[in-house]
Amino acid sequence: MPPPRTRGTALRQRLAELRGPDVPAKALDARALAALAANPGCKRRAILDGAGVNKAALAGALGSPSAFGQSQFALTRGNAFEAKVKADGGAELLRLVHERLDPAAEPPTTASVPELTASGPEGRTARTALALREATEQARGTWTFLDHPMLALDVAGSPAFLEPDAVVVHPDGSWTVVEIKSFPMLDGSADPAKVGAAARQAAVYVLALEEVAARLDPAPKVRHRVLLVCPKDFSNLPTASAVDVRKQRAVTSRQLARLTRIQDIADTLPEGTCFSPELPAEQLTAAVESVPATYAPECLAACELAFHCRDRSRAAGAVTTLGRSVRAELGGLTTVDDVLAAARGELGDPDDPAVAALRRAAQLRTEALGAREAQETLGAMCR
C-alpha cells in the first residue's frame, strides 16, 4: 500500500502536471527570483516559475517569442570586466569593499581565497557553507574573498541554486554580497532602473546567505548594504557604490513566502490545465489565460512572456499598458474606454479625484484646440 501523500508531495505532483508529462523543471536563478520581486502581484508568473515552466519555450509556442536576454557582446564585455575586478586574488575588489563599506577595518593587504570546487551544485553549496564557516571562525582581522560561491534557497519546496559574483567575509566575521555589472557609473551614479534590478538580485543572495548564517552558532551578521561594482564613466576601470537592499530583501522574502503557498493559485485552475509547449496553440493559450496576469511595461525587461501579456493587455484596452504610475492615478478606471468615457462625462462619479482630473483635462484640451482653430482661421483671413 503506497504511503499517503503529504501536502508537499501533492503540491510537487500538481506542479509536475502543470509542466506536462516528462517535462523537466526549469531551475530558478537569482535573476528570475529578482524579477518575481519586481512584479509581486502577477499570479501568472508565480505559478509558472513555481512549477518550473520554461517561459521562453512557452512564449515561442504561443507565437510571441521572447527577445529577453543579453547579447553575446554584452556577456563577453561583462566577463572581461569581472575578471579585471577579481584579478590578483580579488585585491581591487577587496579595496573597494574596505573603502565603501568597512573603512574602520584593517586594510586588506592580504586575503584568504578558499577553493570552492566540488561536484554538482549540492557539493558546491556544501563546500561554500564550509568555507564561510571556517572564514568566520578564523576571521581575527583577516579578509576572505569567495569567488562565485554557490548558495541554495528554498523556493516552493525545492532548492534554487544561486551563484553570486562574490561574497566577502570581513575581519569582524560579517558577510557582504558583491554584484559586478558592466553598465557604467557616470559621475558617480548609474541608471536607476539597472541599479534597482541589481539591488533586487543582490537581495536574493542576501536571503540565501542569511539561511547559511542561521545554521551557525553564533550566527554571523549578513550585511544589508551590498557592493555594486561597475566601470567608471566610459573606461574599464572599476568603481563601486554601497547599495542598501533592505527594502528589496523584504519584498523578495514576501514573494517567496507567497510562492510557498502556490497551492492556493493551483487550486483555482481548471482541471487538466497544462502549460506544456507541445500542446496545440489554442489549448495552450486557454491554459495561460486561465491565470490572471499583472502586466506592466517593466515586464519587457524581466519576463519571457511579456510580449504575449502585452498583446493581451492591449487587446483588452487595459490601462496597465500605460505603466503602473498611470494605473495607480486612475483608481477604479481599468480600461482606456472607461477613461475616455469618464473624460467625456459619460461615466464615473464627479467627486472622484481621478474622474474630476480627467474632465478638467478634457476641458482644457477642448479650449486649447478651439483657440488653435481660431488662430488658424484668423491667420488665413489675414493672408
Side-chain angles (χ1 to χ4, degrees), residues 29 41 57 71 106 196 207 214 241 244 253 277 301 337 353-354 381:
D29 58 14
S71 68
E106 286 293 321
L207 280 171
S241 176
D244 192 323
S253 180
D337 287 342
M381 291 174 63

Side-chain angles (χ1 to χ4, degrees), residues 3 29 34 59 65 73 77 115 121 164-165 187 189 207 215 223 254 259 281 329-330 334 357 381-382:
D29 58 14
F73 172 76
R77 182 184 60 186
E115 176 59 53
D165 293 325
D187 295 328
S189 62
L207 280 171
R215 294 194 290 270
R223 295 178 177 236
R254 287 196 299 270
L259 273 181
E329 292 289 339
L330 292 173
T334 59
M381 291 174 63
C382 292

Side-chain angles (χ1 to χ4, degrees), residues 17-340:
E17 292 170 353
L18 291 174
R19 283 195 305 274
D22 304 321
V23 177
K26 186 178 187 298
L28 285 172
D29 58 14
R31 191 181 295 269
L33 291 174
L36 277 172
N39 192 3
C42 186
K43 291 185 178 180
R44 182 175 297 171
R45 173 145 197 169
I47 191 72
L48 292 175
D49 280 345
V53 175
N54 186 328
K55 296 193 300 298
L58 181 60
L62 290 169
S64 302
S66 169
F68 180 69
Q70 284 186 299
S71 68
Q72 189 60 44
F73 172 76
L75 289 171
T76 302
R77 182 184 60 186
N79 290 337
F81 178 68
E82 182 177 333
K84 180 181 181 69
V85 173
K86 293 179 176 179
D88 300 324
E92 180 65 12
L93 184 149
L94 290 169
R95 184 190 70 80
L96 291 170
V97 172
H98 175 260
E99 177 184 298
R100 303 292 185 181
L101 295 176
D102 202 359
E106 286 293 321
T109 53
T110 60
S112 172
V113 185
E115 176 59 53
L116 302 179
T117 303
S119 177
E122 293 86 355
R124 290 184 59 199
T125 300
R127 183 68 190 88
T128 295
L130 178 62
L132 284 168
R133 187 184 71 187
E134 292 175 347
T136 304
E137 292 174 349
Q138 301 169 8
R140 297 195 187 95
T142 62
W143 294 80
T144 301
F145 162 52
L146 281 72
D147 186 8
H148 281 293
M150 182 68 74
L151 306 171
L153 190 63
D154 182 79
V155 179
S158 300
F161 294 102
L162 314 170
E163 189 176 6
D165 293 325
V167 170
V168 171
V169 179
H170 295 245
D172 63 0
S174 59
W175 303 350
T176 287
V177 170
V178 178
E179 269 291 283
I180 302 173
K181 297 296 184 183
S182 59
F183 56 81
M185 282 190 186
L186 305 176
D187 295 328
S189 62
D191 182 339
K194 292 180 179 179
V195 172
R200 287 191 294 272
Q201 189 171 338
V204 175
Y205 299 136
V206 168
L207 280 171
L209 269 181
E210 287 177 345
E211 290 197 359
V212 179
R215 294 194 290 270
L216 302 182
D217 187 19
K221 175 185 176 183
V222 179
R223 295 178 177 236
H224 290 156
R225 294 177 75 216
V226 305
L227 191 74
L228 176 62
V229 183
C230 298
K232 182 178 181 180
D233 298 326
F234 297 102
S235 70
N236 200 37
L237 299 175
T239 187
S241 176
V243 181
D244 192 323
V245 299
R246 281 177 293 184
K247 179 180 178 181
Q248 292 85 351
R249 180 207 166 279
V251 172
T252 303
S253 180
R254 287 196 299 270
Q255 182 65 355
L256 292 178
R258 179 171 175 266
L259 273 181
T260 61
R261 297 191 298 272
I262 205 167
Q263 179 78 59
D264 299 335
I265 304 175
D267 289 343
T268 66
L269 301 181
E271 190 68 29
T273 298
C274 180
F275 302 111
S276 170
E278 303 298 324
L279 293 174
E282 289 185 4
Q283 185 177 346
L284 191 58
T285 300
V288 171
E289 293 304 312
S290 68
V291 191
T294 307
Y295 171 77
E298 295 86 348
C299 296
L300 294 171
C303 182
E304 297 87 340
L305 273 183
F307 290 107
H308 172 82
C309 296
R310 181 183 64 177
D311 291 345
R312 294 288 169 166
S313 187
R314 284 177 173 175
V319 296
T320 50
T321 58
L322 305 176
R324 290 196 184 101
S325 59
V326 175
R327 172 68 188 88
E329 292 289 339
L330 292 173
L333 303 171
T334 59
T335 68
V336 174
D337 287 342
D338 288 347
V339 171
L340 295 176

